[in-house]
Amino acid sequence: MTDEVRVYVEEPTGQRTEVVGPTDMGLNLMELLKASGYDIQATCGGMALCGTCHIEVLGGPELDEPGDDEMAMLESLPILSPGSRLSCQLRITERLDGLILRLMPQTA
Amino acid sequence: MNSISTDICIIGAGPVGLFAVFEAGLLKLRCHVVDALPQVGGQLSEIYPKKPIYDIPGFPDILAGDLVRNLMRQIEPFHPTFTLGERVERFAKLEDGSFQLYTTDGTEIMCKAIAIAGGLGSFEPRKPAIESLESYESGKGVYYMVRDPETFRDQRLVIAGGGDSALDWTIFLADVAKEVTLVHRGTTFRGAADSAEKVKALHEAGRARLVLSSNVTHVHGNGKLNAVTITANDGTAETLDVDSFIPLFGLTPKLGPIEDWGLELEDNAVKVDTVDYSTSVPGIFAIGDINTYPGKLKLILCGFHEAALMCQGAFKYINPDKKYVLKYTTVNGVPTL
Ligand SMILES: Cc1cc2nc3c(=O)[nH]c(=O)nc-3n(C[C@H](O)[C@H](O)[C@H](O)COP(=O)(O)OP(=O)(O)OC[C@H]3O[C@@H](n4cnc5c(N)ncnc54)[C@H](O)[C@@H]3O)c2cc1C
Ligand code: FES
């Protein structure tokens, strides 16, 4: 059992930055990324209503399938990749350890 | 060019901008409200119309959409005027201290004071990543909003998206346009289930075409759009002759032009004096989510309070020689304008 997970954010330059998050605070990935200084709008505050916390998972552990609300929101966005997720719907638990992601642009 | 003259121009028809109309009306100030969205209500209408809000005084719970409807009813006596679907782009301050504002569509608004109630910024359409899409904007065949359905009368249309707007406009425009095709990348819809059923029924009746698991990937034309290519998730593609393409992927807020107005900003928000929510430019006020000051809370309730104090400041700016005496609505009722 670990009380910290490490996720890796691929910057536009291709470089990967490690972000460490606690598993015991009930945070979601959007909150962790925001707290780590990433420019995520997260307009709806994590309710799967705005899509502004959209990320693309590039590698790492296998995640649970998106729930209905997350899937529906993702499907309504103009840019979608097979690794698309709403970061606010991913809880920071040890199962996220090693995740590699990049932030998705809001508009083309 | 459309020209409007008023006392206060309110930029943003979110809850705070709407309530500012009421507070201004009590002081017998006329308001004109501008919003980039085609409907009023700001975040409440755009993001969470069906969610209950629990922290509006006097309403143990109220749906966001109902709060907007109530605010519209409350301001009826003051007959505000609205310019919807246009973004305020720039302003000029005139020698007498009044202002001239211009929208993206060239509407001119002459006013004595400005109240920016721009929230998170103006809601702008999310655009799909299609090469040279932007060259067909501005009336050349690509539209991100339906403002006047008549624009599309007897046209061949392709609509893209899977939310309520894409479904609702497909249903509506099926009666107006010559041909409507709805392209959706998935197989399920985010919009209301009965709207999805209606679109499927229109498809079966041959009155609209539904193309699932596909994306519009290319636009074609010469100065004006004349075709789009639809590519299915399995890679097969078809090119369809069209007059207009309407991508409806929702909206996302952008601080936008207000950023360049020379107002003092902090963390993308407009700095204000909490005495009357005035900005660093005399005559321009900022209320609601768009402003910042020590202790700021981005809540509707706080925006309402700010609107009341802002109107006092605007009244004094507009009428430097008049004294304002507070009157309770319980005593005086609601005046009309
Ligand atoms: C999911 C969610 C739930 C929420 N729940 C609550 C809650 O329970 N209680 C609560 O108090 N608050 C809640 N909020 C916050 C609340 O919605 C905001 O505080 C409120 O909407 C702010 O109102 P506003 O009028 O300042 O701005 P907004 O609602 O953002 O409206 C601003 C309007 O200005 C327009 N605009 C901006 N710039 C321009 C321009 N240049 N030209 C033309 N138009 C422009 C925009 O298009 C927009 O319509 C919630 C927010 C979200 C996203
Ligand atoms: S923060 Fe709005 S969908 Fe994640």
Side-chain angles (χ1 to χ4, degrees):
Chain A
M1 175 98 184
T2 163
D3 51 8
E4 267 183 5
V5 292
R6 275 149 225 285
V7 299
Y8 301 88
V9 182
E10 189 167 294
E11 311 291 346
T13 54
Q15 200 187 323
R16 287 183 184 170
T17 306
E18 183 181 87
V19 176
V20 182
T23 53
D24 57 355
M25 283 174 63
L27 290 181
N28 62 49
L29 186 57
M30 174 276 281
E31 289 164 333
L32 174 66
L33 292 169
K34 229 172 148 51
S36 310
Y38 284 96
D39 188 15
I40 296 183
Q41 224 166 10
T43 309
C44 74
M47 299 169 76
L49 285 174
C50 71
T52 57
C53 66
H54 184 187
I55 58 158
E56 181 181 13
V57 172
L58 302 171
E62 196 160 323
L63 304 175
D64 289 340
E65 289 292 305
D68 286 350
D69 289 347
E70 182 180 355
M71 200 56 226
M73 183 71 233
L74 284 170
E75 278 206 335
S76 76
L77 297 175
I79 305 165
L80 191 75
S81 90
S84 279
R85 295 300 298 251
L86 295 178
S87 56
C88 71
Q89 300 302 302
L90 295 170
R91 285 285 293 276
I92 301 283
T93 65
E94 54 195 280
R95 295 177 58 196
L96 239 54
D97 200 34
L99 195 77
I100 308 165
L101 63 104
R102 71 180 180 104
L103 309 189
M104 287 293 267
Q106 286 306 301
T107 42
Chain B
M1 187 174 61
N2 198 0
S3 187
I4 292 145
S5 176
T6 190
D7 292 326
I8 306 182
C9 178
I10 298 176
I11 303 173
V16 178
L18 294 179
F19 189 64
V21 174
F22 181 78
E23 288 296 320
L26 293 181
L27 304 179
K28 296 200 180 279
L29 296 171
R30 290 171 309 139
C31 292
H32 182 76
V33 188
V34 190
D35 204 298
L37 293 176
Q39 82 276 342
V40 300
Q43 293 170 51
L44 282 65
S45 302
E46 189 49 40
I47 304 178
Y48 61 110
K50 299 196 177 95
K51 288 228 159 253
I53 306 176
Y54 300 101
D55 54 351
I56 303 297
F59 290 95
D61 61 82
I62 182 164
L63 296 183
D66 289 342
L67 179 61
V68 173
R69 270 187 287 281
N70 285 359
L71 284 164
M72 288 300 281
R73 246 186 61 211
Q74 194 170 16
I75 62 178
E76 260 168 30
F78 303 121
H79 307 292
T81 47
F82 289 88
T83 297
L84 297 178
E86 293 181 29
R87 188 174 79 181
V88 176
E89 223 30 42
R90 59 195 170 89
F91 78 96
K93 193 167 184 182
L94 307 180
E95 260 174 33
D96 64 357
S98 68
F99 298 89
Q100 205 170 9
L101 285 159
Y102 292 97
T103 70
T104 28
D105 291 23
T107 303
E108 179 195 53
I109 301 145
M110 308 294 298
C111 59
K112 295 174 189 157
I114 297 175
I116 305 174
L120 301 166
S122 74
F123 280 90
E124 304 290 323
R126 290 195 178 103
K127 300 179 183 178
I130 300 174
E131 203 182 322
S132 71
L133 187 69
E134 294 192 355
S135 62
Y136 297 105
E137 292 174 0
S138 313
K140 287 181 271 196
V142 171
Y143 301 83
Y144 302 106
M145 271 181 206
V146 179
R147 263 192 262 164
D148 178 9
E150 282 306 311
T151 313
F152 307 105
R153 177 148 310 267
D154 298 327
Q155 288 198 353
R156 294 159 304 175
L157 305 181
V158 166
I159 298 175
D164 278 316
S165 316
L167 291 167
D168 291 349
W169 282 118
T170 300
I171 297 164
F172 189 91
L173 292 170
D175 286 336
V176 176
K178 186 155 87 187
E179 262 171 51
V180 181
T181 302
L182 173 62
V183 181
H184 176 38
R185 97 156 55 83
T187 48
T188 55
F189 284 96
R190 182 171 178 241
D194 65 323
S195 306
E197 287 312 314
K198 267 190 205 144
V199 170
K200 282 179 195 147
L202 284 171
H203 173 71
E204 272 150 31
R207 293 184 47 222
R209 201 175 142 216
L210 183 56
V211 183
L212 296 175
S213 306
S214 302
N215 282 304
V216 172
T217 49
H218 300 85
V219 287
H220 315 273
N222 192 357
K224 169 104 186 55
L225 182 80
N226 59 31
V228 301
T229 300
I230 301 169
T231 307
N233 293 352
D234 66 10
T236 52
E238 65 165 319
T239 297
L240 210 66
D241 290 342
V242 296
D243 301 301
S244 295
F245 170 43
I246 315 176
L248 297 172
F249 292 108
L251 303 162
T252 189
K254 294 240 178 339
L255 191 54
I258 291 162
E259 217 171 354
D260 308 317
W261 282 11
L263 302 165
E264 211 180 316
L265 301 178
E266 190 178 282
D267 290 338
N268 278 334
V270 182
K271 272 180 97 169
V272 288
D273 179 345
T274 50
V275 167
D276 57 1
Y277 298 92
S278 51
T279 68
S280 55
V281 177
I284 304 187
F285 301 81
I287 50 175
D289 279 10
I290 192 107
N291 74 13
T292 183
Y293 52 86
K296 169 73 186 178
L297 283 180
K298 288 191 183 182
L299 288 177
I300 299 166
L301 165 77
C302 301
F304 287 170
H305 160 83
E306 294 167 13
L309 294 195
M310 178 279 291
C311 287
Q312 306 293 317
F315 182 88
K316 279 189 206 133
Y317 181 79
I318 297 170
N319 306 291
D321 305 326
K322 273 197 207 161
K323 188 163 164 28
Y324 167 71
V325 185
L326 176 79
K327 291 175 186 147
Y328 292 123
T329 56
T330 35
V331 178
N332 283 50
V334 174
T336 45
L337 274 180

